[in-house]
């Protein structure tokens, strides 16, 4: 992989210095690293006896960073979806060590999750003055977003700004090294056309208004300052901007996870049992949609019966082709809740094309994170499945790219 | 003769029927509760006890965010009194949302991170505070 990090030479005998060319104003690091040896007295094993500089050039063509976009309204990097996703790849995702404690970035062994709020061009006071919400594209710097995502995709580390959600200010930038998988999460991953083209796969998390209301109540009711009216007013006030700027991104997503209230319980307004739809676009490269029983046909399936006993209200699945914003899609839907482990494994054994590496992987992933919200319904299930699909896409992309060796030329 | 009276049933007291107290006889409803990592359940509107926040810095942060939420909510209500569809009103409620989300994230982080020293030592085992000696 062609990453060119900067090394300090404490371990070598001769005093070496490394000079890197100065960074551009956008904070990029050049692709060339130049090594100088000061004296020819002691030679290190690698370098020759001369003091000529060595230039190592990193070639751009073998960049293997896969970029995933996730549009979600629920804050950055700390959302359940992100944690499930990073868990599929292994390793816990944590904020960068030794950096800004209010950083929104999450880094694990294979994945880096970047919060798009970091690309706000206006901080909280700036937005107040201009009268724009964070949802408004005018509050975001899409040029910088495009340049930095492009650089990371090409294998160049960037200095990304940090937006501090507590203070509402833009903090000094942090260094982000290109990872194997880059996930950009936020409100506008698919808004800008150039950024959209960089995405290898995109997901939109579509929460219906009733469910959003119920979740926000759960989140905020324990707060002293909040009341039912304030939560309602907050959602209502943000709705026009949300519908105008965020919602239209749905049509560009390769997968949409739509969360709706259940149809199994008449007049249910608790929002606890959920009906979740996984809308998968057909014809996306490297992405094979999940299906039930027979691809392309319409199925309605209730797994509860003689082989499996479920408690009220049970589980209902359906699958079928559909059209979504003019695209051909396949829709897999789950309504209800899992109460027991064997329900989950039973359902998993009947789903096809879920890209698991072994039987029961979905169940295992769900159990690992069983204290996360949504672990007993379609949200957790589909988020886990999408995570496995992303792993599959990543492996296919890597296999398809031809590797070019890093060239080391003597200057 | 003074002898200890055997415990007997005094006529008028009714015998308490404990048999209905057992949970098994209650109808089993799958209550929509969110079970937190520390085992407490959040039933509706009860305030969750933040017993995990032992460290002054964290407590201060939490307090700061809580106060900010209260302040921003009152601000938003004032601004929106005049015109509910104005830009200022939208921005004010957006700020409330932002701060509420930040508070929720802090709450989540508190539930996960039991001991900051432990996570520090995982990353830096050679520092003085984290050295472990095995004889």
């Amino acid at each position: 992989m062609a990453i060119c990090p900067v090394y300090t030479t404490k371990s070598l005998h001769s005093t070496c210095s490394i000079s890197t060319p100065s960074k551009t104003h956008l904070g990029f690091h050049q692709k060339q690293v130049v090594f100088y040896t000061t004296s020819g007295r002691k030679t290190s094993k690698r370098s020759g006896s001369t003091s000529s500089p060595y230039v190592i050039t990193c070639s751009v063509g073998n960049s293997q960073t896969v970029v995933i976009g996730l549009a979600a309204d629920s804050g950055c990097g700390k959302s359940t979806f992100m944690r499930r996703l990073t868990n599929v790849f292994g390793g816990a995702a944590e904020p960068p060590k030794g950096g800004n404690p209010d950083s929104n970035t999450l880094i694990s062994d294979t994945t880096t999750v970047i919060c798009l709020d970091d690309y706000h061009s206006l901080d909280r006071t700036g937005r107040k003055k201009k009268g724009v919400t964070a949802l408004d594209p005018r509050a975001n710097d899409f040029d910088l977003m495009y340049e930095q995502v492009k650089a990371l995709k090409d294998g160049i580390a960037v200095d990304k700004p940090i937006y501090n959600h507590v203070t509402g200010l833009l903090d000094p930038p942090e260094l982000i090294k290109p990872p194997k998988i880059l996930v950009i999460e936020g409100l506008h991953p698919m808004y800008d056309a150039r950024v959209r083209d960089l995405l290898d796969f995109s997901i939109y998390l579509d929460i219906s208004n009733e469910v959003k209301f119920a979740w926000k109540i759960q989140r905020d009711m324990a707060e002293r300052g909040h009341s039912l009216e304030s939560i309602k007013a907050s959602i209502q006030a943000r709705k026009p901007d949300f519908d105008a700027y965020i919602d239209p991104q749905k049509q560009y997503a390769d997968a949409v996870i739509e969360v709706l209230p259940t149809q199994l319980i008449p007049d249910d307004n608790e929002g606890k049992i959920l009906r979740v739809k996984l809308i998968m676009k057909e014809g996306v490269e490297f992405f094979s949609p999940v299906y039930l029983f027979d691809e392309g046909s319409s199925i309605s399936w209730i797994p509860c019966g003689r082989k499996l006993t479920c408690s009220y209200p049970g589980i209902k699945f359906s699958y079928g082709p559909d059209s979504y914003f003019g695209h051909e899609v396949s829709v897999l839907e789950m309504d209800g809740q899992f109460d027991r482990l064997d329900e989950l494994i039973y359902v998993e054994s009947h789903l096809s094309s879920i890209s698991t590496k072994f039987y029961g992987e979905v169940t295992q992933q769900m159990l690992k994170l069983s204290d996360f919200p949504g672990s007993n319904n379609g949200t957790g299930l589909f988020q886990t499945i999408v995570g496995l699909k992303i792993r599959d896409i990543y492996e296919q992309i890597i296999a398809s790219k031809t590797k070019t060796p890093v060239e080391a030329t003597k200057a | 003769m003074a002898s200890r009276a055997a415990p007997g049933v005094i006529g008028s007291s009714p015998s308490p029927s404990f048999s209905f107290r057992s949970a098994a006889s209650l109808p089993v409803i799958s209550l929509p509760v969110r079970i937190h990592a520390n085992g407490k359940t959040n039933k509706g509107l009860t305030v969750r006890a933040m017993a995990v926040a032992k460290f002054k810095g964290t407590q201060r942060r939490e307090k700061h965010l809580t106060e900010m939420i209260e302040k921003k909510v009152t601000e938003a209500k004032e601004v929106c009194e005049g015109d509910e569809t104005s830009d200022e009103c939208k921005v004010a409620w957006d700020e409330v949302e932002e701060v509420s989300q930040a508070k929720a994230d802090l709450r989540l982080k508190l539930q996960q991170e039991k001991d900051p020293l432990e996570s520090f030592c995982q990353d830096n085992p050679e520092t003085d505070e984290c050295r472990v000696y095995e004889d």
Side-chain angles (χ1 to χ4, degrees), chain A residues 43-231:
Chain A
T43 61
S44 63
K45 288 185 206 129
R46 269 174 281 138
S47 65
S49 53
T50 62
S51 55
S52 58
Y54 283 78
V55 181
I56 295 184
T57 325
C58 304
S59 42
V60 182
N62 66 341
S63 67
Q64 295 175 350
T65 301
V66 171
V67 185
I68 313 284
L70 171 63
D73 190 20
S74 58
C76 282
K78 296 137 185 142
S79 66
T80 314
F81 196 160
M82 273 311 56
R83 287 183 287 154
R84 283 194 201 278
L85 187 57
T86 44
N87 244 278
V88 165
F89 291 102
E94 284 150 2
K97 309 206 198 295
N100 188 334
D102 288 325
S103 164
N104 303 307
T105 312
L106 285 182
I107 300 186
S108 77
D109 300 326
T110 42
T111 45
T112 292
V113 182
I114 283 185
C115 175
L116 291 179
D117 283 354
D118 290 334
Y119 293 110
H120 278 334
S121 49
L122 302 167
D123 61 9
R124 209 180 277 159
T125 23
R127 292 200 301 268
K128 198 178 201 140
K129 251 191 284 183
K130 250 194 162 178
V132 294
T133 60
L135 304 158
D136 199 311
R138 287 173 289 170
N140 297 288
D141 187 353
F142 288 106
D143 292 328
L144 185 63
M145 192 193 294
Y146 167 64
E147 312 242 0
Q148 294 206 334
V149 174
K150 184 165 193 305
L152 284 168
K153 190 164 185 173
D154 290 339
I156 307 170
V158 299
D159 279 320
K160 181 188 64 69
I162 298 177
Y163 177 75
N164 191 321
H165 283 99
V166 177
T167 59
L169 303 166
L170 284 161
D171 286 347
E174 61 184 346
L175 179 69
I176 304 288
K177 296 198 212 103
K180 294 203 191 125
I181 297 169
L182 176 70
V183 183
I184 56 173
E185 184 187 7
L187 293 163
H188 307 96
M190 297 166 253
Y191 187 82
D192 187 84
R194 302 164 294 175
V195 179
R196 212 183 305 147
D197 290 333
L198 291 173
L199 300 176
D200 293 301
F201 192 71
S202 51
I203 306 153
Y204 184 92
L205 197 52
D206 183 13
I207 318 289
S208 73
N209 292 315
E210 303 90 339
V211 178
K212 199 182 272 194
F213 187 40
W215 283 1
K216 296 236 155 120
I217 292 178
Q218 261 187 10
R219 188 191 74 180
D220 291 336
M221 271 315 271
E223 291 304 323
R224 254 192 350 243
H226 266 300
S227 62
L228 211 65
E229 294 80 33
S230 69
I231 298 175

Side-chain angles (χ1 to χ4, degrees), chain B residues 16-122:
Chain B
S17 49
F18 286 110
S19 56
F20 287 105
R21 297 271 179 89
S22 63
S25 63
L26 290 171
V28 176
I29 309 167
S30 51
L31 274 177
V33 294
R34 209 168 64 168
I35 313 280
H36 297 289
N38 62 4
K40 293 209 179 90
T41 56
N42 179 22
K43 295 197 184 90
L45 310 179
T46 53
V47 177
R48 268 167 277 165
M50 296 302 293
V52 191
K54 310 180 201 103
F55 306 102
K56 282 218 178 97
T58 330
Q59 278 180 350
R60 202 176 26 166
R61 202 160 217 222
E62 222 193 315
K63 200 163 113 282
H64 171 67
L65 276 172
T66 314
E67 285 169 6
M68 233 196 328
I69 292 182
E70 287 181 43
K71 197 179 74 170
K72 298 252 177 228
V73 169
T74 32
E75 242 180 64
K77 284 191 185 143
E78 282 168 31
V79 171
C80 294
E81 226 135 80
D83 179 11
E84 284 208 348
T85 52
S86 69
D87 282 339
E88 290 84 32
C89 181
K90 282 196 283 181
V91 173
W93 282 118
D94 190 40
E95 285 185 12
V96 168
E97 166 65 27
E98 194 187 341
V99 183
S100 303
Q101 184 63 47
K103 179 84 203 294
D105 289 335
L106 179 66
R107 219 184 295 139
L108 201 65
K109 209 162 67 155
L110 284 178
Q111 284 173 356
Q112 292 174 340
E113 203 158 329
K114 304 292 185 238
D115 190 350
L117 185 64
E118 234 186 76
S119 55
F120 173 74
C121 287
Q122 259 177 10

